[in-house]
């Protein structure tokens, strides 16, 4: 049966990658604009919510997007996520106070969650697991590009235009993604009756939101040993217990219990969680090292993380091609986590005196490890589940990785803050600087510009204290990388399927060819070819 050509697949990937790009950029571009935003809108006490609101809603909504895509089709859900993202980005740019901005960012997170999860699921529809390695580098390049381009673009827009453009800049890209997916993404999808598990969705969102609120705000808005901490923990545990109860009884659960009986799904989800903690929780602090300790500008710090992206792309493309050629994939995340552990260990030795080229080498090694892990875990998950569960399994894998990243950011952020309370005073004391010689305000809360303006020897003491605290943070990520390595040793490698789920290449090729005729496509068509082992149809299918 005919398959989609390489060019056709690339056309589809363009639309998906653009959607992934705007979602990833929304999480990296805003960091350099935060000081300016606070200066104009005020609300220093709400600053953390500009980032946390998006992280919270994107993580909590991820499994729901996956299930809805299995029920109603991935194209319409992906486009809905783009629409939510576009409207909320426009609203965020027009925000007149911090409350409006935080609310817009929370809605934006809903779109981000859909874009990140569904783009991966659609790739599973379009490209067979065996062939996906050829395109793995393109997918990995999106995250690498967002990591480098986000701070660069954010710094440029704040300096030359306005902080509002950090939200508006993604709108044209999102519109292009919407147009491209509408024109070329035509997936056969059988329509049938559905029963949405709204109660399960509520329990999942409530439980994850309470957990992330406790982790994000603990030690900042309230003490760890406080009623807020215990209350939010109790709510999270109760809601998650109710989630298990509801999902076991629902007709079409958001997170089907059968997935947790799938060995590969369980192993890759646990490993993805550990990887999320180690990678996202540690790497997010690299700009602080470059800007505060090394005194680089936001734009320059973005450029200096290029070795991380180069390492990621090199191993992502290389491992992908080897997977396509050999059909073997387990070795890559196993080796990748060991390489990442070495890279994080080396990064834990970054100091004030470390040269930028040596820091670049350490980043390259860490990126090389990441490139062999992220996409392969998703590939293994998609290869191990039936096509009917492709969306929810992919979003589930993305969810656990995102949850690990959110927890890593919160836990390592708290660790960094705790260490700074010890390292900076110790360095000031060693430099013979008394408390009354310190400028007004806390050195641990100053912007990179404010810290750079400190007089010597205070500046050296503060930057050295920051470097020591960051060393502890990077080192704390190493055990999680090793934990992921140990978990993946238990992964059973199964042969990669050479078909796109249970959908024939003939159906997809025909759908692609009719994409220029909006009346001819098969999406949501009652007469579309049915997947293998479908539920009993409502009425006999039309025979062509």
């Amino acid at each position: 049966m005919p398959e989609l050509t390489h060019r056709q697949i690339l056309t589809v990937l363009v639309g998906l990658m653009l959607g992934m790009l705007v979602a990833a950029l929304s999480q990296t571009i805003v960091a350099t604009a935060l000081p300016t935003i606070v200066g104009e809108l005020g609300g220093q006490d709400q600053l953390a919510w500009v980032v946390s609101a998006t992280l919270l809603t994107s993580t909590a909504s991820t499994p729901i997007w996956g299930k809805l895509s299995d029920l109603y089709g991935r194209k319409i859900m992906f486009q809905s996520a783009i629409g939510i993202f576009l409207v909320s980005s426009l609203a965020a740019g027009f925000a007149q106070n911090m409350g409006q901005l935080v609310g817009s960012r929370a809605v934006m997170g809903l779109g981000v969650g859909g874009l990140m999860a569904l783009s991966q699921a659609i790739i599973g529809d379009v490209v067979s697991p065996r062939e996906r390695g050829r395109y793995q580098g393109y997918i990995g390049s999106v995250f690498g590009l967002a990591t480098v381009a986000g701070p660069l673009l954010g710094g440029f827009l704040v300096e030359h235009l306005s902080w509002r453009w950090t939200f508006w800049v993604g709108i044209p890209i999102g519109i292009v993604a919407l147009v491209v997916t509408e024109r070329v993404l035509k997936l056969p999808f059988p329509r049938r009756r559905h029963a949405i598990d709204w109660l399960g969705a509520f329990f999942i969102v409530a439980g994850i939101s309470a957990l992330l609120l406790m982790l994000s705000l603990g030690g900042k808005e309230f003490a760890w040993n406080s009623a807020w901490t215990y209350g939010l923990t109790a709510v999270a545990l109760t809601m998650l217990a109710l989630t298990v109860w509801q999902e076991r009884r629902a007709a079409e659960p958001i997170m089907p219990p059968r997935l947790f009986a799938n060995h590969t799904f369980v192993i890759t989800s646990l490993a993805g969680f550990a990887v999320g903690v180690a990678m996202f929780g540690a790497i997010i602090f690299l700009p602080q090292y470059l800007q505060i300790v090394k005194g680089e500008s936001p734009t320059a710090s973005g450029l200096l993380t290029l070795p991380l992206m180069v390492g990621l792309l090199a191993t992502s493309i290389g491992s992908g091609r080897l997977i396509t050629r050999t059909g073997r994939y387990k070795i890559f995340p196993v080796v990748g986590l060991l390489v990442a552990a070495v890279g994080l260990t080396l990064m834990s030795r970054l100091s004030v005196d470390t040269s930028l080229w040596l820091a670049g080498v350490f980043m390259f090694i860490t990126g090389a490890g990441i490139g062999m892990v992220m996409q392969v875990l998703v590939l293994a998950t998609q290869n191990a589940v039936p096509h009917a569960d492709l969306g929810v399994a992919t979003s589930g894998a993305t969810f656990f990785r995102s949850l690990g990243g959110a927890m890593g950011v919160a836990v390592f952020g708290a660790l960094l803050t705790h260490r700074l309370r010890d390292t900076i005073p110790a360095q000031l004391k060693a430099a013979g600087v008394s408390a009354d010689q310190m400028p007004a305000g806390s050195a641990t809360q100053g912007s990179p510009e404010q810290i750079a303006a400190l007089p010597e020897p205070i500046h050296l003491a503060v930057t050295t204290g920051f470097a020591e605290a960051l060393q502890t943070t990077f080192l704390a990520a190493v055990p999680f990388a090793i934990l992921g390595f140990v978990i993946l040793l238990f992964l059973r490698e199964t042969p990669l399927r050479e078909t796109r789920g249970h959908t024939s290449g003939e159906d997809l090729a025909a759908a692609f060819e009719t994409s220029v005729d909006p009346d001819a496509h098969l999406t949501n068509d009652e007469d579309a070819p049915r997947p293998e082992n479908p539920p009993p149809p409502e009425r006999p299918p039309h025979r062509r």
Side-chain angles (χ1 to χ4, degrees):
M1 289 184 290
E3 299 284 329
L4 291 184
T5 66
H6 176 67
R7 182 175 180 180
Q8 289 172 333
I9 292 174
L10 288 181
T11 305
V12 173
L13 283 181
V14 167
L16 300 179
M17 290 167 59
L18 288 173
M20 294 168 67
L21 178 61
V22 294
L25 275 177
S26 71
Q27 299 172 311
T28 59
I29 195 173
V30 72
T32 51
L34 289 179
T36 307
I37 292 173
V38 172
E40 183 171 328
L41 300 182
Q44 175 71 39
D45 58 330
Q46 302 176 49
L47 180 63
W49 280 102
V50 177
V51 177
S52 298
T54 306
L55 184 65
L56 190 154
T57 53
S58 63
T59 303
S61 66
T62 297
I64 299 173
W65 282 109
K67 183 60 180 180
L68 290 177
S69 77
D70 283 336
L71 295 179
Y72 297 106
R74 274 178 268 287
K75 176 181 175 179
I76 186 64
M77 289 296 107
F78 186 77
Q79 292 182 325
S80 298
I82 294 177
I84 292 172
F85 180 86
L86 294 177
V87 172
S88 58
S89 295
L90 190 66
F94 281 113
Q96 300 302 305
N97 55 58
M98 193 62 80
Q100 293 177 7
L101 179 59
V102 171
S104 300
R105 289 280 292 175
V107 176
M108 189 185 300
L110 297 176
V112 169
L115 290 170
M116 299 301 283
L118 298 183
S119 57
Q120 302 271 15
I122 293 172
I123 291 170
D125 283 323
V126 175
V127 184
S128 70
R130 181 61 185 265
E131 289 296 317
R132 186 177 170 186
R134 295 179 62 191
Y135 309 98
Q136 197 165 292
Y138 304 122
I139 303 166
S141 67
V142 172
F143 299 101
L145 179 62
T147 301
V148 176
L152 274 173
L153 189 57
F156 175 83
L157 292 173
V158 170
E159 185 177 348
H160 297 284
L161 294 173
S162 165
W163 62 266
R164 299 182 185 276
W165 281 97
T166 60
F167 302 110
W168 293 337
V169 72
I171 293 178
I173 304 175
I175 292 174
V176 173
L178 197 62
V179 171
V180 171
T181 53
E182 175 60 32
R183 294 290 296 171
V184 305
L185 188 59
K186 307 295 178 180
L187 301 175
F189 180 74
R191 181 178 295 167
R192 57 188 177 89
R193 292 180 181 177
H194 306 293
I196 301 178
D197 181 20
W198 293 114
L199 190 58
F202 170 77
F203 289 150
I204 290 173
V205 172
I208 297 304
S209 297
L211 177 63
L212 293 181
L213 282 172
M214 184 270 291
L215 291 172
S216 300
L217 303 182
K220 301 173 186 175
E221 301 296 324
F222 50 81
W224 287 110
N225 185 19
S226 68
W228 276 106
T229 300
Y230 300 129
L232 288 171
T233 302
V235 170
L237 293 176
T238 301
M239 290 295 104
L240 293 177
L242 289 172
T243 298
V244 175
W245 169 77
Q246 172 63 16
E247 298 303 87
R248 291 175 66 88
R249 60 186 289 273
E252 296 193 56
I254 298 294
M255 289 290 287
R258 63 180 175 273
L259 283 180
F260 295 93
N262 185 304
H263 169 84
T264 300
F265 178 81
V266 172
I267 293 296
T268 55
S269 295
L270 290 174
F273 177 84
V275 169
V277 174
M279 304 308 173
F280 296 133
I283 292 173
I284 196 171
F285 297 106
L286 263 176
Q288 284 189 276
Y289 171 77
L290 293 170
Q291 292 180 38
I292 293 176
V293 178
K294 303 303 288 185
E296 301 292 337
S297 67
T299 303
S301 69
L303 284 172
L304 289 170
T305 58
L306 273 174
L308 184 75
M309 178 181 174
V310 172
L312 187 151
L313 286 179
T315 55
S316 180
I317 294 173
S319 62
R321 292 188 176 278
L322 287 173
I323 288 171
T324 297
R325 185 180 305 166
T326 65
R328 308 300 296 270
Y329 59 86
K330 177 179 176 179
I331 185 64
F332 297 104
V334 170
V335 172
L337 281 170
L338 283 181
V339 173
V342 171
L344 289 168
T345 302
L346 292 172
M347 284 170 58
S348 73
R349 302 185 64 82
L350 293 174
S351 67
V352 173
D353 299 324
T354 304
S355 64
L356 289 175
W357 74 265
L358 187 58
V361 172
F362 296 167
M363 283 185 257
F364 176 85
I365 294 172
T366 306
I370 297 172
M372 288 188 276
V373 178
M374 293 300 190
Q375 297 304 317
V376 181
L377 293 182
V378 177
L379 170 66
T381 301
Q382 293 179 338
N383 185 62
V385 299
H387 189 258
D389 288 334
L390 182 64
V392 71
T394 304
S395 65
T398 306
F399 165 74
F400 285 109
R401 187 181 67 195
S402 299
L403 181 61
M407 293 185 67
V409 171
V411 171
F412 293 155
L415 175 62
L416 178 63
T417 301
H418 176 75
R419 284 288 293 144
L420 287 173
R421 293 171 184 165
D422 296 329
T423 57
I424 290 181
Q427 289 295 326
L428 290 171
K429 183 178 179 180
V433 178
S434 60
D436 57 358
Q437 292 179 276
M438 283 292 296
S442 172
T444 61
Q445 296 178 355
S447 66
E449 293 78 11
Q450 292 170 326
I451 293 175
L454 291 173
E456 295 292 351
I458 297 175
H459 175 262
L460 179 60
V462 170
T463 54
T464 303
F466 254 102
E468 291 181 359
L470 286 168
Q471 288 173 354
T472 304
T473 305
F474 290 131
L475 190 61
V478 174
F480 290 97
I482 295 174
L483 175 62
F485 163 78
V486 173
I487 292 171
L488 283 175
L489 291 178
F490 295 93
L491 178 66
R492 293 197 292 264
E493 188 171 33
T494 56
L496 292 175
R497 292 197 309 263
E498 299 194 16
T499 58
R500 301 177 178 93
H502 292 165
T503 305
S504 74
E506 185 177 42
D507 296 333
L508 277 171
F512 187 95
E513 292 299 330
T514 59
S515 64
V516 294
D517 181 2
D519 297 323
H521 66 71
L522 297 173
T523 304
N524 291 341
D525 189 348
E526 290 279 351
D527 299 329
R530 308 276 176 165
E532 188 176 304
N533 299 323
E538 294 292 320
R539 53 183 176 272
H542 172 70
R543 293 187 179 276
R544 299 190 175 186

